[in-house]
Amino acid sequence: MKIATWNVNSLKIRLPHVLDWLAEHRPDALCLQELKQEEKAFPFAELEAAGYHAVVNGQKTYNGVAILTPAAATDVVRDIPGFADEQKRIIAATVDGVRVICGYFPNGQAVGSDKFDYKMRWLAALTEWVGAEMARHPQLVLTGDFNIAPEARDAHPDWKDEIHVSAPERAAFEALTALGLVDAFRLFEQPERAFSWWDYRMMAFRRNFGLRIDHILVSPALRAACRACSVDKAPRRLERPSDHAPVVLTLER
DNA sequence: ATGCCAGCTTAGAGCTGA
């Protein structure tokens, strides 16, 4: 079973890349973030022609998430239950017995800003809910654009901003791992300076000036089934790429 | 210190992203 996450930075623009990637990799679940479109604009027909169903939590201009699967996913939840939020950042569904939570975590803009406060409140609410989901669904994957580089090695040494690498953000990430979730990427040997996002500016991709902020976390019941996890940099090299690359987990099941 | 790029928006320069 193959589960992947990809922040596409506008599905309208990136649909050709997504269709090509689906054809090449045939994932059992592809979690998308930053659709930047409402569900009524979502390309259901094009994806269906490619052999994929979709569950969508859409929003115009900003945010928006979806899970693509070969067969229809079940038990869909949109947004964090009990957390009042205008922003469409969460969708969860069950895929072949695995609970898949797809999240577009808040950016936070700058440590100490209102947006940072929102990020921290959002993370607290998410963590409480994910704990409850894990109790209901022992086989669970939490994936998406976390907008947190969990450790020093997950950011280029020249990254100077505090955002994405600050102590409170890293503590929030550790609160998720304290639930028992494991960063699947770190179960396997990886290249030095392995990142999943590179700024469009300053030739950042060419210089590999990036961050690893897109993650796939697995519950204890899935840990032993993990066979591989890697960043696929190929789509970042295409014309008009997203600024993020997909991250892919292979499970033996 | 700011813009550098990219995508969005009831069309435009401004916001947001990371």
Side-chain angles (χ1 to χ4, degrees):
Chain A
M1 182 180 194
K2 200 184 283 188
I3 298 174
T5 182
W6 193 3
N7 179 324
V8 291
N9 184 22
S10 166
L11 184 57
K12 180 182 174 183
I13 299 294
R14 229 66 64 195
L15 181 61
H17 290 9
V18 171
L19 292 172
D20 287 349
W21 200 87
L22 287 171
E24 184 177 346
H25 296 273
R26 303 307 296 174
D28 299 282
L30 175 58
C31 297
L32 300 177
Q33 303 90 38
E34 282 208 85
L35 306 178
K36 299 187 175 183
Q37 64 186 356
E38 294 179 299
E39 182 162 2
K40 65 187 179 191
F42 190 87
F44 287 104
E46 291 87 339
L47 289 164
E48 198 162 318
Y52 279 86
H53 292 76
V55 291
V56 180
N57 191 8
Q59 183 180 339
K60 197 175 176 180
T61 312
Y62 302 117
N63 312 311
V65 288
I67 303 174
L68 312 185
T69 51
T74 58
D75 300 307
V76 181
V77 169
R78 292 170 178 82
D79 309 320
I80 302 170
F83 182 72
D85 192 357
E86 299 295 305
Q87 305 186 30
K88 303 304 185 186
R89 297 182 173 277
I90 284 287
I91 190 161
T94 300
V95 183
D96 297 337
V98 177
R99 191 64 173 165
V100 176
I101 301 177
C102 167
Y104 173 49
F105 294 34
N107 175 302
Q109 200 167 61
V111 175
S113 66
D114 288 349
K115 286 176 180 163
F116 188 80
D117 292 342
Y118 164 70
K119 181 176 193 172
M120 299 311 296
R121 287 189 293 108
W122 190 94
L123 283 161
L126 175 80
T127 304
E128 186 176 349
W129 172 60
V130 168
E133 283 284 283
M134 289 174 70
R136 282 192 289 269
H137 308 278
Q139 301 195 88
L140 180 145
V141 168
L142 172 64
T143 188
D145 176 0
F146 284 52
N147 272 314
I148 301 171
E151 298 178 56
R153 60 181 168 166
D154 298 316
H156 190 281
D158 294 338
W159 181 262
K160 295 302 179 204
D161 287 342
E162 279 192 292
I163 197 66
H164 309 303
V165 302
S166 73
E169 290 165 275
R170 285 178 168 166
F173 187 90
E174 283 168 20
L176 288 167
T177 59
L179 296 173
L181 295 170
V182 173
D183 182 352
F185 190 76
R186 292 301 179 199
L187 293 176
F188 303 95
E189 192 173 339
Q190 302 292 352
E192 293 290 303
R193 298 187 184 179
F195 306 128
S196 65
W197 169 85
W198 303 262
D199 201 302
Y200 284 120
R201 299 164 291 185
M202 305 174 292
M203 295 182 291
F205 183 68
R206 219 174 68 181
R207 297 188 294 126
N208 194 33
F209 183 78
L211 300 171
R212 192 177 71 92
I213 53 179
D214 300 272
H215 305 300
I216 304 178
L217 274 49
V218 301
S219 63
L222 287 178
R223 180 182 178 141
C226 293
R227 289 291 173 272
C229 186
S230 59
V231 176
D232 179 10
K233 292 171 79 169
R236 188 64 176 79
R237 299 190 184 96
L238 300 172
E239 292 288 316
R240 267 193 120 175
S242 169
D243 43 355
H244 295 252
V247 182
V248 189
L249 169 68
T250 305
L251 289 168
E252 182 73 44
R253 62 192 306 282

